[in-house]
Amino acid sequence: MDPHHLRLLRELGDRGSVAAVARALHITPSAVSQQLNTLQRSARVPLTERSGRRLVLTAAGRALAAAAVEVMTALDRAERAVGGYLDDPSAPVTVCAFHSAALTWFPALARRHGHVRCADEDVAQADFPSLVGDYDLVVAHRLAQHPPWPTDRVAVVPLIHEPIYVAMAADSPLAAKPRLTAVDVAAQPWISTHEGFPVGGVLTAIAAAAGRPLDIVHRINEFTVVASMVAAGAGLALLPAHTSPPDPRLSLRPLDDLPIGRYIDVLTRPETLHRAAVRTVLDTLRTLSHPTDSP
């Protein structure tokens, strides 16, 4: 039974006529009658009857109208509960992020918001949208040349566009060069991510630009481990410009002939943004990702 139809039945019992109900609810008498007829079709016994020219409730109708009061009360209580949940600035908010973003922003996020629950998720780019079913906010990344996020399934809030640089040991001969090209780096051993992860696809572009395959000797997703391997001379790697911790053992250089970057965005379900607590945490993520914009 439609709660709106139940309300009409209750109003008819309280106000005594279809015309009075129509005036009170600012609809036409015919609309009231049509909706009461719809309610009648879902009942096994008559709910209304004619008393002279007036439509009145039967005994069954009066019983249902009394029950409608309880239904309206419960719905009002439910709406108030939902409203309180949506407006509560301290309600728990779950956030997940890939490793380098988590390392960069999670400590400050947890420090500012005691109600935030953080988790790291190391997944392939195509798997980020599905995480919105498990978390309120999903910090995701994709390469500029990759397909955009499926906006028919998720809401997308852009954070930053982050350059990706070639990382080498600080004492590498390449570090002495002020400018690097794909040809300069193609002959070196490489450390890459696993297949399907955003940064890994860039190496294919470097190989194509240099006209030769790359020698990928290690596959490691965790950038802090990658940084240590590069510092030890195990190979070159691609590291993000903003979310990589500063490391004096490394030198980072852009490729002049092949600019590389990734988009870091927040993915969420559209209805999740109705929550005040979620919007507050999202605002903090925006601030953290643009520290130079802060006063």
Side-chain angles (χ1 to χ4, degrees), residues 41-66:
R41 287 195 292 270
S42 66
R44 292 180 294 174
V45 295
L47 301 175
T48 60
E49 61 185 4
R50 286 288 171 183
S51 177
R53 299 182 61 183
R54 295 172 54 226
L55 189 70
V56 298
L57 301 186
T58 63
R62 289 193 297 273
L64 185 55

Side-chain angles (χ1 to χ4, degrees), residues 197-215:
F197 288 78
V199 173
V202 177
L203 297 187
T204 302
I206 293 176
R212 57 169 296 170
L214 302 186
D215 180 20

Side-chain angles (χ1 to χ4, degrees), residues 26-215:
H26 306 290
I27 56 179
T28 64
S30 62
V32 174
S33 297
Q34 289 171 6
Q35 293 179 59
L36 287 174
N37 287 336
T38 301
L39 176 62
Q40 178 62 68
R41 287 195 292 270
S42 66
R44 292 180 294 174
V45 295
L47 301 175
T48 60
E49 61 185 4
R50 286 288 171 183
S51 177
R53 299 182 61 183
R54 295 172 54 226
L55 189 70
V56 298
L57 301 186
T58 63
R62 289 193 297 273
L64 185 55
V69 175
E70 297 180 16
V71 172
M72 296 300 106
T73 301
L75 287 175
D76 180 70
R77 187 164 57 247
E79 288 178 2
R80 290 177 185 275
V82 170
Y85 172 70
L86 293 176
D87 295 337
D88 183 0
S90 61
V93 177
T94 55
V95 183
C96 80
F98 57 93
H99 289 153
S100 58
L103 181 64
T104 304
W105 297 322
F106 274 4
L109 198 63
R111 192 164 53 245
R112 297 188 189 191
H113 302 290
H115 57 290
V116 167
R117 305 293 180 263
C118 298
D120 63 327
E121 287 284 357
D122 183 34
V123 300
Q125 178 180 319
D127 295 329
F128 276 112
S130 63
L131 292 176
V132 300
D134 300 319
Y135 302 96
D136 295 319
L137 299 174
V138 176
V139 183
H141 58 155
R142 69 174 181 85
L143 293 176
Q145 64 267 36
H146 283 186
W149 304 113
T151 53
D152 59 325
R153 294 168 47 202
V154 299
V156 181
V157 180
L159 287 184
I160 58 171
H161 177 267
E162 181 177 38
I164 295 174
Y165 294 157
V166 176
M168 63 211 70
D171 58 358
S172 166
L174 288 176
K177 292 189 173 185
R179 308 169 74 87
L180 290 177
T181 66
V183 171
D184 293 328
V185 300
Q188 303 295 316
W190 278 87
I191 304 167
S192 178
T193 57
H194 292 280
E195 294 289 347
F197 288 78
V199 173
V202 177
L203 297 187
T204 302
I206 293 176
R212 57 169 296 170
L214 302 186
D215 180 20

